[in-house]
Amino acid sequence: VSDQITVAVVGASGYTGAELCRLLLQHPHVKLTGLYARSSAGQPLSKVFPQFAGRLEQVIEPFDADRVEARAVFCALPHGESAPVVAALAARGHVVLDLSADLRLHDAATHETWYGGHAAVPPELRARAVYGLPELHRERLRGASLVAVPGCYPTAAILAATAFLEAELVLPDLIVDAKSGVSGAGRGAALAYHYPEVEGGIRAYKIAGTHRHTPEMEQELGARVTFTPHLVPMSRGILACVYMRPLDPTVPAARYHEALRARWQGEPFVTVLPAGALPDTAHVRGSNRAHVSVAVDERVGRVIALAAIDNLVKGAAGQAVQCLNLAVGLPETLGLDGVAPFP
Ligand SMILES: NC(=O)c1ccc[n+]([C@@H]2O[C@H](COP(=O)([O-])OP(=O)(O)OC[C@H]3O[C@@H](n4cnc5c(N)ncnc54)[C@H](OP(=O)(O)O)[C@@H]3O)[C@@H](O)[C@H]2O)c1
């Protein structure tokens, strides 16, 4: 089809890379023209990921910016590895969607503090990158040539809490308590993520202001964040519970629900559950949807906002495809409108 957008994926042998390939294959206006990685180069994608057998047999190539023939390129690389690849592609005029953290923070000094100084990003590139959360930055994403796709935890926390901060119903001082499936750590498994180390338990990690997604949440929410992430024994999914103090404790619970509904009305991928219903990662698994809700503990004066997403879809690859649609002028929901398979 002549109106197809040519697209390449760098990091195709990783978890978000595989998810990008799955979503791009079912996108009606996309033609996948290149798959790139490092150690997996030379192998067909279907050997690295057998789910693609018979559907996408393309061979993964070593990345070489000069050989990329695609209008848009997704970079699904570890942070630090991504910046030079993004810089090379941006210089050659491709639309670049970077799934790493390298360009997400607007302030270079904040990036340096949290990620260290390796792979310094050229300042003009950082300034040009649009934070790829369409629910906050849709107009800037239209026609964008460089997108910093958000992290998975920040996506969940921002979609949970934004409505109440914007409506000035809560103090800008949040506790984000979130649980993630193990695929959030990527395919390059370390010991801590092996099945026997994860199965049968649940643990918090990188607490008390040490997780790198903290400044990203603070940047987009304009609030102080205490973040406690947890690893839970499931492959996919994030559930974020955000605890907030109401500015006025006499405001009734219904007002919070109303604020949530008003903020996300018309959003194709954010569903406000009926009052009293609570999100479940099983209901968004494999889809680009976020389910959100709010409850108020009037006895102690606390507002609890919840969001469930699939970390690999709305938390990464699906959101990146949503940004591609906006960047190249396609309908935002194209290729993404599936419902989660359940059970
Ligand atoms: N997993 C999630 O839920 C999630 C959510 C949001 C954002 N992200 C971000 O998305 C990025 C990718 O995450 P992931 O979970 O997909 O990681 P992953 O499973 O570890 O995959 C990383 C990929 O990068 C490739 N790679 C590494 N260095 C490379 C280089 N110099 N040149 C070419 N390819 C290179 C690897 O290829 P080889 O193994 O073949 O060398 C592999 O395909 C990370 O920045 C991560 O923080 C992840």
Side-chain angles (χ1 to χ4, degrees):
V1 187
S2 60
D3 60 353
Q4 281 191 320
I5 309 284
T6 51
V7 164
V9 176
V10 190
S13 57
Y15 281 157
T16 60
E19 201 62 7
L20 280 164
C21 292
R22 180 178 77 86
L23 294 169
L24 293 168
L25 272 180
Q26 65 196 31
H27 192 297
H29 286 286
V30 159
K31 184 173 192 283
L32 258 175
T33 57
L35 303 176
Y36 303 92
R38 193 162 49 185
S39 60
S40 316
Q43 302 182 55
L45 182 71
S46 60
K47 186 162 180 220
V48 178
F49 287 120
Q51 68 268 32
F52 291 104
R55 187 66 177 88
L56 188 61
E57 299 289 352
Q58 208 159 327
V59 173
I60 299 170
E61 297 169 60
F63 176 72
D64 175 353
D66 288 328
R67 297 189 55 195
V68 175
E69 285 179 22
R71 178 169 168 202
V73 185
F74 293 90
C75 293
L77 304 175
H79 70 81
E81 298 283 346
S82 200
V85 171
V86 169
L89 291 167
R92 286 163 176 76
H94 301 277
V95 173
V96 183
L97 304 115
D98 180 22
L99 279 76
S100 88
D102 286 351
L103 295 167
R104 291 182 200 149
L105 298 174
H106 304 323
D107 182 47
T110 309
H111 182 86
E112 163 91 28
T113 302
W114 289 83
Y115 288 91
H118 59 100
V121 178
E124 58 84 22
L125 218 56
R126 185 175 297 286
R128 192 148 69 80
V130 181
Y131 189 77
L133 195 69
E135 291 76 10
L136 294 193
H137 303 297
R138 179 166 288 117
E139 293 316 313
R140 289 191 62 214
L141 287 165
R142 288 189 207 284
S145 56
L146 181 56
V147 176
V149 183
C152 44
Y153 281 124
T155 297
I158 293 165
L159 294 177
T162 290
F164 313 107
L165 288 158
E166 282 184 2
E168 297 186 354
L169 287 167
V170 297
L171 286 167
D173 188 356
L174 321 178
I175 295 172
V176 177
D177 176 289
K179 285 98 188 160
S180 173
V182 185
S183 65
R187 204 179 198 199
L191 179 63
Y193 304 103
H194 288 184
Y195 181 80
E197 309 278 329
V198 173
E199 189 274 333
I202 170 168
R203 60 174 180 263
Y205 65 102
K206 293 186 186 159
I207 68 163
T210 58
H211 194 286
R212 284 165 164 164
H213 284 169
T214 308
E216 200 181 317
M217 294 181 202
E218 292 191 335
Q219 170 182 291
E220 296 300 313
L221 288 168
R224 298 275 289 172
V225 171
T226 299
F227 177 37
T228 303
H230 299 80
L231 190 69
V232 300
M234 60 184 186
S235 294
R236 290 170 182 246
I238 287 185
L239 180 69
C241 302
V242 184
Y243 298 86
M244 300 167 285
R245 286 283 186 197
L247 271 169
D248 174 358
T250 66
V251 169
R255 173 76 187 88
Y256 293 92
H257 188 69
E258 200 182 288
L260 197 59
R261 286 235 323 249
R263 181 59 179 86
W264 301 130
Q265 193 173 24
E267 278 299 337
F269 296 117
V270 184
T271 301
V272 179
L273 298 181
L278 298 174
D280 184 329
T281 58
H283 300 156
V284 293
R285 198 174 197 271
S287 85
N288 196 48
R289 314 205 66 81
H291 284 181
V292 299
S293 72
V294 64
V296 181
D297 186 339
E298 288 175 345
R299 192 180 61 84
V300 298
R302 219 171 248 126
V303 180
I304 305 148
L306 298 101
I309 60 167
D310 183 322
N311 57 294
L312 291 176
V313 189
K314 185 57 179 162
Q319 183 131 274
V321 173
Q322 197 181 342
C323 291
L324 169 79
N325 286 339
L326 286 165
V328 302
L330 290 171
E332 189 175 334
T333 57
L334 221 54
L336 291 171
D337 219 9
V339 169
F342 182 89

